[in-house]
Amino acid sequence: MKRGAIVVNPTKVKDLRSVRDHLTAVFRGDGWAAPLWFETTGDEPGTAQAYDALAQHADLLVALGGDGTVRCVAAALLGTGVPLAVLAGGTGNLFARQLGLPVGRYADALRIGLAGVDTPIDAIRIDLDTTGSGEFDDHHMGLVMGGIGRDADIMADTTERLKSRISWAAYLVAGLRQFSHELIPATIGFDDQPPFTREVSAVLAGNCGLLQGGMRLMPDAVVDDGLLDAVVVRGSGLHWVPVFGKVLSRSRTDSTHFRRAQCAEIVVQVPRPERVEVDGDVIGTARAARFRADRGALTVRLPR
């Protein structure tokens, strides 16, 4: 009898026992054994639990939570072929929305996980030079998008308490605090093209192009093409107006304040440590960040 494992972020679920009983009934109703059950903590946000499930030979890993929980569970699955089911229950749920999966409807999402199609998608590899030595000494992965600069500052300013009160609008509130800011001198390289230097607000690299509120920062982003969509942003003060105009119009033309590109690898170097975020979580500070597409690294259960 097949057996799955559920890794749940308990802070995203109001009635944990009821949800567990309901999902167990869905497993059993589809002929599976009762699932293994793991809860994340502040110190162990999902990766260790996913490795534990793999050690117990789980046939399916189910991530129940927001994009951060999904990312941490997925980190243990890269290259294994063991499929991931996504039960979106966070604030943005950008990964689930990009893939057309149900949001907040756990039983419906689980049924897709049990009977859906195994689909390979890309992951984002993020390597950081935290000291300025020229060596990448800290390594992470992502599924939605990552960035260095003011976008990471916004994520750092967005509290869980505020997200619980006003949902994704919490990011707008935090963004207002970054409306006017100093620009960051950055040297940016796409694949094997000659690097260029530009003062920026942020540089982002994405596998999914959605933002909170349904906006599309990267309208051409595809999760299985082996490429990342990059955005170089130069905002601050009234200069945010043309940036927002580019996003809202989904313009593909470059300007002084906004540049898009598609590539397999992006390297960004900055003169002083800047925050770096991945899928909405700040992962540290770095003098350089490298974002790479890892094609087909993760298997996800999607609707037939």
Side-chain angles (χ1 to χ4, degrees):
M1 186 178 291
K2 292 182 180 180
R3 191 175 198 187
I6 300 174
V7 180
V8 57
N9 182 341
T11 68
K12 304 298 183 181
V13 180
K14 291 183 179 179
D15 189 342
L16 203 60
R17 181 172 181 177
S18 176
V19 169
R20 181 174 184 174
D21 290 344
H22 192 186
L23 296 180
T24 298
V26 174
F27 269 103
R28 289 192 177 279
D30 210 55
W32 289 56
L36 301 167
W37 182 268
F38 301 91
E39 296 179 15
T40 67
T41 67
D43 294 330
E44 296 290 353
T47 304
Q49 292 87 338
Y51 276 125
D52 194 354
L54 291 175
Q56 296 185 55
H57 308 291
D59 298 290
L60 173 72
L61 267 287
V62 180
L64 198 170
D67 287 317
T69 302
V70 175
R71 174 178 64 86
C72 290
V73 174
L77 300 180
L78 298 183
T80 67
V82 176
L84 172 71
V86 178
L87 277 57
T91 304
N93 302 303
L94 300 180
F95 186 62
R97 295 181 194 278
Q98 179 82 21
L99 298 179
L101 294 170
V103 174
R105 305 197 323 265
Y106 302 143
D108 291 340
L110 179 56
R111 291 186 182 99
I112 293 172
L114 296 177
V117 179
D118 285 353
T119 306
I121 69 166
D122 304 339
I124 308 171
R125 299 283 188 176
I126 304 100
D127 306 305
L128 306 182
D129 173 3
T130 63
T131 64
S133 67
E135 299 292 331
F136 293 107
D137 56 295
D138 192 17
H139 309 282
H140 302 265
M141 63 80 62
L143 296 172
V144 180
M145 68 178 71
I148 182 170
R150 302 310 177 204
D151 65 305
D153 292 338
I154 291 173
M155 299 305 171
D157 287 344
T158 306
T159 65
E160 289 296 326
R161 181 180 179 183
L162 193 58
K163 286 194 288 184
S164 68
R165 291 176 58 192
I166 59 174
S167 189
W168 62 267
Y171 295 102
L172 297 180
V173 174
L176 290 175
R177 301 190 186 107
Q178 298 293 334
F179 184 73
S180 294
H181 56 261
E182 292 184 6
L183 296 174
I184 303 166
T187 301
I188 305 161
F190 300 138
D191 290 337
D192 55 358
Q193 299 178 23
F196 61 94
T197 299
R198 179 174 295 186
E199 289 192 324
V200 304
S201 299
V203 181
L204 300 102
N207 200 31
C208 304
L210 282 174
L211 293 177
Q212 287 81 8
M215 293 186 294
R216 285 194 174 272
L217 179 65
M218 304 164 184
D220 296 325
V222 179
V223 297
D224 60 355
D225 61 353
L227 295 173
L228 297 176
D229 283 58
V231 176
V232 180
V233 180
R234 186 180 189 273
S236 188
L238 293 178
H239 292 306
W240 282 115
V241 174
V243 171
F244 293 144
K246 288 285 187 182
V247 174
L248 293 173
S249 67
R250 302 186 185 181
S251 171
R252 289 164 172 79
T253 60
D254 291 342
S255 72
T256 303
H257 304 288
F258 198 85
R259 175 176 175 177
R260 287 194 175 103
Q262 283 191 323
C263 50
E265 179 178 299
I266 308 156
V267 178
V268 184
Q269 297 173 299
V270 291
R272 60 181 182 271
E274 297 289 346
R275 287 191 178 111
V276 182
E277 61 88 11
V278 179
D279 295 1
D281 293 330
V282 177
I283 57 174
T285 62
R287 290 282 303 279
R290 179 173 65 190
F291 304 88
R292 296 177 291 155
D294 191 350
R295 188 165 196 171
L298 179 67
T299 301
V300 180
R301 285 274 170 90
L302 297 182
R304 291 185 178 276

